[in-house]
Amino acid sequence: MTTTWRSQIAPKLQVLLMAYTCAIWIWPPIHFVASRAWKLNPWKFGGWAMYTQPVPDVRVNVSRDAGRATQTLTPEYLYLGVPGGAEAHVLYSKTRELWGRLASPVGLANAVLSHFPDQPAIRITVRTRGMDQDGRSHMETDVYLCQRADGSPACQRE
Amino acid sequence: VRLVGDPLGSSIRDDDVAADEWRFRLLQAGLTLHIGASSALWLWPRSHVWAGCVFIVMFLGCGASIVGKYSWLPGLALLAVSLSEYVGVPIALLPVELANHNLVEHCVYGMTLLAAAGDAQGRAAVVSAARTTVAVVLFYAGCQKAWYGHYFDGQYLAWLNSHEPRFHEFFRLIGLDAHFTSDRSALQFKATSATGVLLSNAAWLGEITCGLLLLSRRWVEVGAVGGLLLLVAIQMAARELFFAGLVAQLLLLFLPLRTAVAATPLVGSFYLLLLAARMSSNGLEFGR
């Protein structure tokens, strides 16, 4: 019984090791391309790009049209005035820091739009601090227009 | 229990199957310490009793790994405890908790547990995969620094000098802080001297070189010693001691068996000291 079990492990282990070795060779270049394309956090996801640039510092703001003016809903307002706003804001900020543009702002938009039933749309602004090739610290801004739709809101990067 | 030759004697040649068997056992014992210490530290603030249990299993696992019998049993228990750290973490946020070296330690340790229950050929293959892993880590760590391009003029080291106290302390200690002092109000970070630029470029070039040397047949020991020296130099500033412990163990696989065996007490002492320091002082930050 033991012999059978052990003899079954050996070939599977060889396949596993082969797959593992291929994966660790192939993954880092893909990681680099993906990190650049989607602004993924280069420190994470096993690409060995720690200490290549500062950890992305993400600031998320929400704004809505209030008559003629635009009202910015500060994180403090979301935390105190919007039910579920704190959780949604923290979750989106954290996922955005990790997953970059792959992180969806729909959850945050849903929490805010639920609080303002007459509001047709909101804007979510994501500012990410990074570093350019010359060593300049800079802010990169993405703005999402999130509109009320059937079911969950639909968000699009402007 | 049959031990395979005397690892400190001259009867085992470095290319023998017995040498790989011993390397495997040392690697498994070292990773057992690594995973056990990490899990014990995670459990310590939550439950001293469970941390104590992990401690006992860790020592049993080390003993079983060296003897080469039933090591998968305590190993599986430790792996389960270690992976339980991630239970309840939303999948989208899992990478926050999962550092790059955590991926490697769990993969390699899992493979040692499988191989421990398998045959000698499998164990030699795991040793080979572990060697490849550290070569890849060093090689790509250097490549990524070059690809992102923040080391050519010392930009990132200057940023670290301005923003990270541990790096500033290190640069000041070696008398190089002036070479990386940037005007923070200008929001531009660059090395301010040729020495700074040289040091910055030496970091990524050193990593790539050591990684490549580890893949060669002729210069492999030079690569291993170079890698260890580079690791010590980097970790004096970065202070990520669990990462350092893991990489050092993997680099030891390239050195002659006698050297690796002689270094085993050092590896053990390193983790025990790390555990003692972290458990006795909640305020001290010794890195992950």
Side-chain angles (χ1 to χ4, degrees), chain B residues 117-136:
Chain B
D119 57 10
Q121 201 186 353
R123 291 192 283 275
V126 168
V127 170
S128 174
R131 284 173 171 152
T132 308
T133 302
V134 71
V136 166

Side-chain angles (χ1 to χ4, degrees), chain B residues 78-267:
Chain B
L78 284 178
L79 196 62
V81 172
S82 181
L83 291 175
S84 69
E85 287 183 39
Y86 310 112
V87 172
V89 179
I91 289 179
L93 296 179
L94 199 56
V96 176
E97 307 293 330
L98 208 58
N100 294 336
H101 68 273
N102 294 138
L103 292 170
V104 165
E105 70 200 22
H106 288 120
C107 284
V108 177
Y109 194 54
M111 288 187 296
T112 65
L113 297 183
L114 275 177
D119 57 10
Q121 201 186 353
R123 291 192 283 275
V126 168
V127 170
S128 174
R131 284 173 171 152
T132 308
T133 302
V134 71
V136 166
V137 168
L138 282 173
F139 176 71
Y140 276 125
C143 286
Q144 293 273 21
K145 288 182 180 78
W147 293 340
Y148 277 88
H150 294 140
Y151 276 72
F152 298 134
D153 293 320
Q155 302 97 309
Y156 189 55
L157 291 188
W159 188 91
L160 284 171
N161 188 41
S162 298
H163 290 78
E164 294 276 354
R166 59 203 163 123
F167 278 85
H168 180 65
E169 282 165 22
F170 173 69
F171 287 133
R172 201 174 54 189
L173 185 76
I174 61 171
L176 286 175
D177 56 328
H179 301 268
F180 293 107
T181 303
S182 298
D183 180 9
R184 281 187 73 162
S185 59
L187 291 177
Q188 185 168 22
F189 301 93
K190 270 187 181 181
T192 49
S193 71
T195 312
V197 172
L198 199 68
L199 185 75
S200 181
N201 284 287
W204 67 270
L205 278 170
E207 286 177 330
I208 291 179
T209 308
C210 288
L212 290 175
L213 289 178
L214 290 177
L215 296 170
S216 73
R217 279 189 178 275
R218 193 171 172 188
W219 301 98
V220 67
E221 287 175 14
V222 178
V225 173
L228 283 168
L229 292 174
L230 194 64
L231 186 69
V232 170
I234 292 172
Q235 294 307 326
M236 279 175 74
R239 299 181 202 168
E240 294 185 354
L241 298 186
F242 271 99
F243 172 82
L246 177 69
V247 174
Q249 281 193 52
L250 297 179
L251 283 170
L252 283 176
L253 295 173
F254 290 95
L255 294 177
L257 181 62
R258 290 181 67 161
T259 313
V261 173
T264 302
L266 277 178
V267 173

Side-chain angles (χ1 to χ4, degrees), chain B residues 33 263-275:
Chain B
L33 264 178
T264 302
L266 277 178
V267 173
S269 310
F270 171 80
Y271 284 106
L272 292 180
L273 281 172
L274 193 56
L275 269 172

